[in-house]
Amino acid sequence: MNRTTQHESSSPIVHVVDDDEAVLDSVSMLLDSIGLSNICYKNAQVFLDAYVEESFDKHNGCIMLDIRMPLISGIECQHRLEKLGCCLPIIFVTGHGDVPTAVEAMKHGAMEFIQKPFREQQLIDALQKALQVNFKNQQRLEKIQQTQAKLASLTNRETQILEAIVAGKANKVIAIDLHLSQRTVEIHRAHVMDKMEVRSLAELVKVVIDASATS
């Protein structure tokens, strides 16, 4: 049965996955003591089952994964999470002989690995770093979602003109391509700038490219 400690529903959650009951107990107590919400899982399968549930917060938090676990290893769990599109930072906990494996895991996106036995402060520092990265990623995603909402608010004509602007075309060229007067293009361009809430052409191009990269 999972043990759960959640101080606020909106707070980031540290997901601790380890088959060692003593590790789960000690890490959960440590995280409780510094006010970090945490959920413990006795193996990778239990965690994966929880991850695919609709109620699982797939965006806010991080994962602490033991490498050596029965049935499904931490590495295999990482691969399965990758296929599921998981974006939560992963920290691996390893035994001495697992270091080459952990290094390989980092090449596949793991953020860090910690060798057992680890110092409490070492673990705290690693988890807080992971949560900071997660927070910055969430800010970036939120900004992109806002940009995509603004793009959706544009009319078909404004979208045409925006695409031409991003392609580097001047107003005169856009007017010729769309069979419009240059003044009409300028008016639409002003509306686009206003709706996208940007002040310069460079800013407009940047936010559009950033949003397109993740769409």
Side-chain angles (χ1 to χ4, degrees):
M1 183 176 180
N2 296 348
R3 284 155 297 179
T4 307
T5 303
Q6 291 178 269
H7 303 286
E8 296 178 14
S9 59
S10 60
S11 62
I13 299 173
V14 178
H15 300 277
V16 186
V17 188
D18 200 303
D19 64 316
D20 188 329
E21 194 81 9
V23 171
L24 293 180
D25 286 336
S26 62
V27 171
S28 184
M29 289 177 61
L30 174 63
L31 299 182
D32 285 347
S33 73
I34 60 173
L36 278 181
S37 298
N38 58 91
I39 304 178
C40 293
Y41 309 83
K42 62 183 179 181
N43 59 53
Q45 187 61 63
V46 172
F47 174 66
L48 289 168
D49 288 344
Y51 182 84
V52 297
E53 292 291 329
E54 187 175 347
S55 59
F56 191 100
D57 186 346
K58 296 178 175 61
H59 305 287
N60 195 18
C62 67
I63 304 167
M64 174 181 161
L65 261 182
D66 187 25
I67 280 190
R68 290 195 180 184
M69 290 184 287
L71 301 179
I72 301 175
S73 69
I75 298 297
E76 176 61 24
C77 183
Q78 179 193 28
H79 293 332
R80 295 191 187 189
L81 288 170
E82 186 178 3
K83 291 179 181 178
L84 291 169
C86 178
C87 61
L88 295 176
I90 295 176
I91 294 174
F92 275 106
V93 178
T94 77
H96 178 70
D98 297 322
V99 172
T101 306
V103 172
E104 185 64 25
M106 291 184 70
K107 293 178 181 178
H108 287 274
M111 188 171 160
E112 194 167 342
F113 71 89
I114 300 175
Q115 284 186 254
K116 294 179 180 178
F118 49 79
R119 293 179 294 105
E120 289 186 348
Q121 192 58 51
Q122 181 185 17
L123 177 61
I124 290 171
D125 290 345
L127 291 174
Q128 289 181 334
K129 180 180 178 182
L131 291 175
Q132 288 173 356
V133 168
N134 176 250
F135 178 70
K136 290 179 180 178
N137 287 342
Q138 291 313 303
Q139 285 185 314
R140 178 175 172 273
L141 286 174
E142 183 179 349
K143 185 174 182 180
I144 288 172
Q145 288 170 352
Q146 291 172 351
T147 298
Q148 290 172 339
K150 292 172 186 175
L151 288 170
S153 73
L154 300 179
T155 65
N156 290 337
R157 180 65 81 190
E158 288 167 349
T159 299
Q160 286 180 315
I161 289 175
L162 172 61
E163 290 172 350
I165 293 172
V166 173
K169 295 182 178 181
N171 288 349
K172 184 177 181 179
V173 175
I174 298 172
I176 294 172
D177 288 346
L178 298 180
H179 306 290
L180 300 171
S181 70
Q182 189 168 331
R183 177 57 182 162
T184 298
V185 171
E186 291 171 354
I187 292 172
H188 282 305
R189 180 169 175 158
H191 289 165
V192 169
M193 298 283 283
D194 185 53
K195 288 184 177 181
M196 296 302 296
E197 298 180 358
V198 294
R199 298 180 180 179
S200 68
L201 175 60
E203 187 181 358
L204 176 65
V205 172
K206 183 179 184 304
V207 297
V208 171
I209 290 175
D210 285 348
S212 299
T214 59
S215 61

